[in-house]
Amino acid sequence: MSDSLISLQSNEPVDDQPEQNGLSFQTWLTMTSSLAHRISLPILRTFFNPTAQLVAIRSVVAIAVIIWIIMTSLTSYVTFYRHFMPKQMHIEPVYLQYMHTSLSKCINPEGWVDLRRGTEYGPLRHGQAYDIHVSLNLPTSDINFDIGNFMVKVELLTTNGSTVAHGSRPAILAYQSKTHRILRVLTGAVPLLMGLTQESQNLYIPLMEEYVENYKTPITHIRVLLSTCRLQVYNATVQLRTNFHGLRYYMYHYRIPTATVFVVAFAIIELICAAFAWRLIVRIFWSNQEEKVQEQTPQEYTYEYSSDASGIDPHD
């Protein structure tokens, strides 16, 4: 008897423990679900609210339209810039030809530049002004210093070989005494021995300014001539620098402000066109809908009136 009572007493708290744990878990679950309900209910109401959905759809459409307009405006300006702006600099190498006559007399060197490069005409734009320069890389040798002044001449020729324009300018190496040259070599001995530098001077000779390309006589070749065959030349180039005027000047020298103005202008034009197209589409669509409603409405009223006047129910 005592053993049974002891077993009952020992089992009672064990039976109550799960009930207490179960109640606490249920309470915690109820509180959690209530909190989640309170938090999610406003969000769900806002999300499933027709007005909020309409605002969200309009916002997404507006953002997409704005991004599309900005992208198309940038693309339009880049396309316009590439077609409207000519290349700022054309640099062509000149290969001078040194020849001698039968009497061992040298002929003044000359070089030809073909601007066509597989096309019918050269790269110059019609009506555009160009500055033409010749760049010479000359060694600082005793022969070149002894020559002193020499002439550089350039001729612009068309396809048939006729000369359209020409210009010539004098040039000379910058004077350096022998002491100066020796000290210069000593100070730069390491780069000279390593082949990083060389004893030379670069002469930049402007020959023609503001040459305007004519569409009737486009230049396709350039001829460069030197006045003496004794001149030693490492290499020579012809440079055609574009001289911008008007809108091209601002587009080249003030790129960011002009790009901003053009992009905004393109965006405004696109917005106006989009608004006009939208109004036109809405007017056509709604006018068709109104015409359909007007066509259907009189028939329904006539049918109701006839049924009421006769007193006969069509469903009987």
Side-chain angles (χ1 to χ4, degrees):
M1 184 69 180
S2 61
D3 295 336
S4 62
L5 290 172
I6 291 170
S7 63
L8 289 173
Q9 291 176 357
S10 61
N11 291 333
E12 283 178 359
V14 176
D15 294 335
D16 294 339
Q17 183 99 19
E19 292 179 1
Q20 293 178 1
N21 293 335
L23 289 174
S24 62
F25 177 74
Q26 290 179 359
T27 303
W28 177 80
L29 183 62
T30 303
M31 293 176 61
T32 305
S33 62
S34 177
L35 181 62
H37 179 72
R38 289 178 182 178
I39 295 174
S40 61
L41 184 60
I43 299 174
L44 294 175
R45 284 180 178 176
T46 304
F47 183 76
F48 289 102
N49 188 5
T51 305
Q53 291 179 353
L54 183 60
V55 172
I57 292 172
R58 288 180 176 178
S59 301
V60 171
V61 172
I63 293 172
V65 170
I66 291 172
I67 293 174
W68 174 259
I69 288 175
I70 292 173
M71 295 297 293
T72 53
S73 300
L74 289 173
T75 305
S76 300
Y77 178 72
V78 171
T79 305
F80 171 72
Y81 187 91
R82 291 177 63 89
H83 284 79
F84 183 72
M85 291 294 292
K87 190 177 179 181
Q88 200 273 335
M89 177 75 75
H90 299 276
I91 301 176
E92 301 292 340
V94 180
Y95 302 102
L96 298 172
Q97 305 296 319
Y98 290 85
M99 296 177 291
H100 293 78
T101 62
S102 58
L103 300 177
S104 299
K105 292 184 179 180
C106 63
I107 301 175
N108 294 342
E110 63 179 31
W112 292 77
V113 177
D114 190 356
L115 299 176
R116 292 174 297 182
R117 293 186 178 274
T119 59
E120 185 178 359
Y121 300 106
L124 306 185
R125 294 274 187 100
H126 301 317
Q128 179 64 47
Y130 294 90
D131 296 336
I132 301 174
H133 308 265
V134 171
S135 177
L136 298 176
N137 187 12
L138 307 178
T140 54
S141 61
D142 293 334
I143 295 176
N144 285 343
F145 278 109
D146 293 338
I147 290 174
N149 287 302
F150 60 93
M151 297 297 294
V152 181
K153 184 178 181 180
V154 66
E155 296 179 352
L156 308 181
L157 299 95
T158 60
T159 307
N160 56 9
S162 59
T163 302
V164 177
H166 62 86
S168 61
R169 299 287 172 82
I172 188 174
L173 283 174
Y175 175 74
Q176 294 178 357
S177 64
K178 291 184 178 181
T179 305
H180 182 196
R181 291 164 60 185
I182 292 172
L183 293 175
R184 188 179 181 87
V185 170
L186 290 176
T187 55
V190 176
L192 284 172
L193 293 174
M194 295 178 63
L196 300 177
T197 60
Q198 57 185 4
E199 298 181 67
S200 63
Q201 292 185 18
N202 291 317
L203 299 183
Y204 190 71
I205 309 161
L207 293 171
M208 299 181 66
E209 292 83 15
E210 295 291 334
Y211 170 76
V212 180
E213 176 75 346
N214 191 350
Y215 73 95
K216 295 182 179 180
T217 56
I219 63 172
T220 57
H221 294 81
I222 297 177
R223 184 186 180 192
V224 179
L225 301 96
L226 301 179
S227 61
T228 175
C229 62
R230 297 177 59 242
L231 186 68
Q232 298 173 342
V233 181
Y234 279 138
N235 55 68
T237 58
V238 171
Q239 300 179 7
L240 295 92
R241 185 186 298 273
T242 307
N243 200 347
F244 295 111
H245 295 283
L247 181 60
R248 289 189 174 100
Y249 176 84
Y250 292 100
M251 291 180 65
Y252 181 78
H253 294 281
Y254 303 96
R255 298 184 181 183
I256 295 177
T258 53
T260 304
V261 171
F262 273 96
V263 169
V264 171
F266 286 141
I268 292 173
I269 293 172
E270 290 183 8
L271 283 172
I272 293 173
C273 294
F276 179 77
W278 175 254
R279 286 181 175 273
L280 185 63
I281 292 172
V282 169
R283 181 178 298 177
I284 294 173
F285 177 77
W286 285 108
S287 63
N288 294 333
Q289 294 293 328
E290 291 177 356
E291 290 177 359
K292 291 181 180 179
V293 171
Q294 290 177 0
E295 290 176 358
Q296 294 177 1
T297 302
Q299 296 179 1
E300 293 177 358
Y301 280 114
T302 304
Y303 179 76
E304 292 178 0
Y305 177 79
S306 61
S307 62
D308 293 339
S310 61
I312 300 173
D313 191 357
H315 297 286
D316 291 341

